Amino acid sequence: MDLFAYKSLLFLLSFIGCRAQEPILPGGPVDAVLGKNVTLTTLVKNPSYAFMIWNFEGNNVLTVSPTSLTVSDAYKGRASINSTNGYLTLSSLKSEDSGDYTITIVSPAGVTKSDLITLRVLEPVSTVAIKSDLLKAIEYNSTVVLTCSAKGSFLKFAWLNGTVPIVADGKRITIKEEELSTKLTIVGVLRSDLVGPIFCTAANKLETEKSAPFNLTVYYGPDEFKITPAMVPKYLPTGSSFNLSCAAVSSPPATFTWYHGMNMIDNPGPVLTLKKIEKLGLGKKAEEYKCVAQNAETGRAVASPKVSFSVIEPIMGVKITGPPGTLIAGNSTANISCQAKSGSWKTPTWTKDGKPLTASSRIVFSSDMSSVMINPLQKEDNGEFMCLISNQVSEGKASHKMVVNYGPEPVKVTGDIAVEVNEPVTLTCSAASVPPANFTWKFNGTLTKVKTTQYAIEKALYKNTGTYTCEATNAVTSKTMKATHILSVKEEGALDEGLSDGAIAGIVIGVLIALGAAIGVIMYCRQKVPGFSDSRVESPY
């Protein structure tokens, strides 16, 4: 279509009446990015038209008819239309493409429909960056101002701590928006405020860009200070692996200084070992220790709670010494002593056979309880003597088994005193003795070959009747004691069981009662019957 025909068409359209119509274009505005492409859509589908005309700010962009397409010189190569629905596509958008676009559809009957939409060509979002007014901050003390700037059109900003949005509270945290920047202000900054990393996003309807991660060092501490162990034993053994350690939450890490009482200890670092304490000659009495944590950046220092203890040498090498030589009850004296190779203690504790050993007229302890004298020894002193030495950090013990020789006492022979011929006989001899006694047997004063505790006769004969003597001899005490036993061998049946002792006693008592009754009757008759005692009856013969 030539220019004359186009102008004639516009002239004709100005005389054609327009009636109320439905929208042809969707609501606007339409946003597009500078340098990119945009398509302005319509709400019509397969319209019947003589012409479809797109204008920009009153100037023709293009005109299409069922048989032809005319693109204005200013838009050649950049504008195109979909002839079935009227969609206008503009490529390589320029800033000057922003403005109002009008579509006019002329039907074959000459009916005209028009509508308008606004296009906004936006500058791309770019150069999003965060800057801080401080290089470092001190917790509670510093006010931090972060500025986020960007390039682009119709920008909106947002702040993120990691992935969590930062929300202004209007007091400690405030956010101020400007056209191409935003400011985040944090008063009395906390360590958690900028743990981050911190991001800033700048966006419009078409694009969103995020800044590089930003980190600002917030120095804090020391706090959450503690000393380990918090509860220290009152006494510690020398040479043990005991340590004191301090810890505090701090950025940068705290430095630690140790104190003994009010005096500084030459021990840099968070750990104070017992080895170091002993090397410095400390710990011999109960004294206080503490550490102080310092932060060079915040200028803060915090002292730990104080702990108190003393160092004691543990008991080692406990030894008990008993009397040498052979001990005999009634003749010997025993001195038992107890010592330790190292360690400090007050008094040992003594036991005998697991029970406390107490003083008596025979048992006398030294003033420091380190020894005990027993005089004279008795057989009851046989057993295990133990001494226990202890202090606040350790204990040690030693034992001595004391053997007191005594006896034999008493000697005793047990067995039958009467047996029937051909019955077995066993006589047993016993005697308390340390060491065990040696035994010999005599029969009617004649030494036999039996040297054991038992004298056994397999079948008793009449000739085995007699006196048996057991002699017990202690080879250490040189004492000999004896006991005798009389054995009677009887004929068979002589020892059969008859009436019991109770039955015999009952018979004897019954006879005595009857005899007494008879005597009583006779005495009564003599007294009551005249001439009973002297009269005689003459024989009739």
Side-chain angles (χ1 to χ4, degrees):
M1 177 181 295
D2 57 21
L3 180 61
F4 177 78
Y6 173 71
K7 289 184 176 180
S8 299
L9 176 63
L10 293 178
F11 177 78
L12 291 172
L13 291 174
S14 63
F15 289 96
I16 299 175
C18 296
R19 55 197 175 103
Q21 63 183 35
E22 294 181 356
I24 300 174
L25 299 175
V30 174
D31 291 331
V33 178
L34 181 70
K36 301 292 182 69
N37 301 336
V38 67
T39 296
L40 302 180
T41 63
T42 69
L43 301 176
V44 297
K45 292 183 180 180
N46 298 317
S48 176
Y49 61 91
F51 297 99
M52 280 194 294
I53 306 165
W54 276 97
N55 291 334
F56 170 63
E57 300 290 349
N59 299 310
N60 181 250
V61 176
L62 59 76
T63 301
V64 64
S65 70
T67 59
S68 65
L69 170 65
T70 302
V71 180
S72 142
D73 292 341
Y75 291 92
K76 284 183 178 180
R78 287 203 310 126
S80 63
I81 190 169
N82 186 324
S83 60
T84 61
N85 54 23
Y87 286 13
L88 174 65
T89 298
L90 298 175
S91 61
S92 301
L93 287 173
K94 304 174 183 179
S95 298
E96 52 267 28
D97 289 330
S98 294
D100 294 334
Y101 287 80
T102 305
I103 184 173
T104 301
I105 300 175
V106 180
S107 71
V111 178
T112 301
K113 293 182 179 180
S114 296
D115 207 347
L116 180 145
I117 193 167
T118 300
L119 172 64
R120 297 191 303 184
V121 178
L122 307 182
E123 183 181 353
V125 180
S126 63
T127 320
V128 183
I130 299 175
K131 291 184 180 180
S132 172
D133 66 331
L134 298 177
L135 296 178
K136 59 184 180 181
I138 306 299
E139 187 176 41
Y140 308 124
N141 292 352
S142 300
T143 295
V144 176
V145 179
L146 301 182
T147 301
C148 177
S149 60
K151 294 181 179 179
S153 303
F154 306 104
L155 296 179
K156 290 187 177 181
F157 294 91
W159 291 92
L160 299 173
N161 188 339
T163 59
V164 179
I166 298 175
V167 179
D169 60 12
K171 298 178 181 178
R172 200 174 64 84
I173 300 176
T174 58
I175 297 175
K176 182 180 180 182
E177 298 282 354
E178 297 180 359
E179 183 178 356
L180 296 177
S181 65
T182 179
K183 286 187 178 182
L184 170 65
T185 302
I186 304 175
V187 179
V189 66
L190 304 178
R191 70 192 74 176
S192 58
D193 290 335
L194 301 174
V195 171
I198 303 299
F199 295 97
C200 169
T201 62
N204 54 32
K205 289 185 177 181
L206 301 178
E207 289 184 319
T208 299
E209 292 293 329
K210 182 186 288 188
S211 69
F214 177 82
N215 289 285
L216 178 66
T217 300
V218 177
Y219 295 125
Y220 55 85
D223 51 29
E224 298 181 33
F225 194 29
K226 62 181 179 180
I227 188 169
T228 306
M231 301 297 293
V232 180
K234 191 175 181 180
Y235 303 98
L236 297 172
T238 58
S240 66
S241 59
F242 177 81
N243 295 327
L244 284 174
S245 63
C246 276
V249 176
S250 178
S251 175
T255 58
F256 298 94
T257 306
W258 290 90
Y259 288 84
H260 167 248
M262 299 299 293
N263 301 316
M264 185 185 300
I265 299 175
D266 181 17
N267 185 78
V271 178
L272 176 63
T273 66
L274 184 61
K275 182 178 180 181
K276 180 71 173 183
I277 292 173
E278 292 182 276
K279 184 178 180 180
L280 295 173
L282 306 175
K284 296 179 180 179
K285 58 181 180 179
E287 293 175 313
E288 292 180 338
Y289 298 83
K290 69 177 180 180
C291 71
V292 175
Q294 295 175 301
N295 185 319
E297 293 292 342
T298 65
R300 297 168 188 156
V302 182
S304 73
K306 298 175 182 178
V307 296
S308 177
F309 57 87
S310 61
V311 184
I312 296 179
E313 187 176 8
I315 303 296
M316 297 182 66
V318 177
K319 182 180 180 181
I320 190 170
T321 303
T326 302
L327 304 176
I328 298 176
N331 293 335
S332 300
T333 298
N335 184 39
I336 309 172
S337 63
C338 185
Q339 294 293 329
K341 185 177 181 180
S342 62
S344 58
W345 70 92
K346 292 184 179 180
T347 58
T349 301
W350 292 87
T351 61
K352 178 183 178 293
D353 296 330
K355 296 180 180 180
L357 182 65
T358 56
S360 68
S361 59
R362 291 190 310 108
I363 302 174
V364 179
F365 292 97
S366 63
S367 59
D368 62 358
M369 295 292 288
S370 65
S371 65
V372 57
M373 175 73 75
I374 305 175
N375 184 29
L377 286 172
Q378 301 292 351
K379 63 180 181 180
E380 292 80 14
D381 297 322
N382 273 293
E384 184 178 42
F385 289 79
M386 179 177 289
C387 76
L388 173 67
I389 296 178
S390 63
N391 59 22
Q392 295 89 338
V393 296
S394 65
E395 67 177 33
K397 56 187 175 181
S399 63
H400 172 73
K401 188 172 182 62
M402 190 159 67
V403 178
V404 180
N405 299 280
Y406 68 93
E409 58 181 51
V411 180
K412 183 171 64 173
V413 178
T414 59
D416 294 328
I417 60 175
V419 297
E420 294 180 357
V421 67
N422 293 325
E423 287 185 342
V425 178
T426 299
L427 303 179
T428 301
C429 185
S430 62
S433 178
V434 175
N438 298 318
F439 295 94
T440 58
W441 289 84
K442 291 180 180 180
F443 175 57
N444 292 333
T446 302
L447 186 63
T448 69
K449 294 180 179 181
V450 179
K451 297 184 182 297
T452 61
T453 57
Q454 290 187 334
Y455 191 109
I457 303 172
E458 188 175 342
K459 290 183 178 181
L461 302 175
Y462 292 114
K463 67 178 182 179
N464 295 130
T465 297
T467 300
Y468 292 81
T469 302
C470 171
E471 291 185 351
T473 302
N474 185 319
V476 176
T477 65
S478 300
K479 289 178 66 176
T480 299
M481 301 291 288
K482 62 183 178 180
T484 59
H485 183 85
I486 299 174
L487 175 65
S488 177
V489 181
K490 300 181 178 295
E491 64 183 6
E492 293 183 9
L495 298 179
D496 288 345
E497 292 185 359
L499 293 174
S500 66
D501 293 340
I504 294 172
I507 293 172
V508 171
I509 292 171
V511 171
L512 291 175
I513 292 173
L515 181 59
I519 293 172
V521 170
I522 293 171
M523 294 299 293
Y524 178 80
C525 290
R526 284 184 175 179
Q527 294 176 3
K528 298 297 182 180
V529 179
F532 176 80
S533 61
D534 296 329
S535 63
R536 295 183 182 180
V537 178
E538 294 184 359
S539 173
Y541 303 101

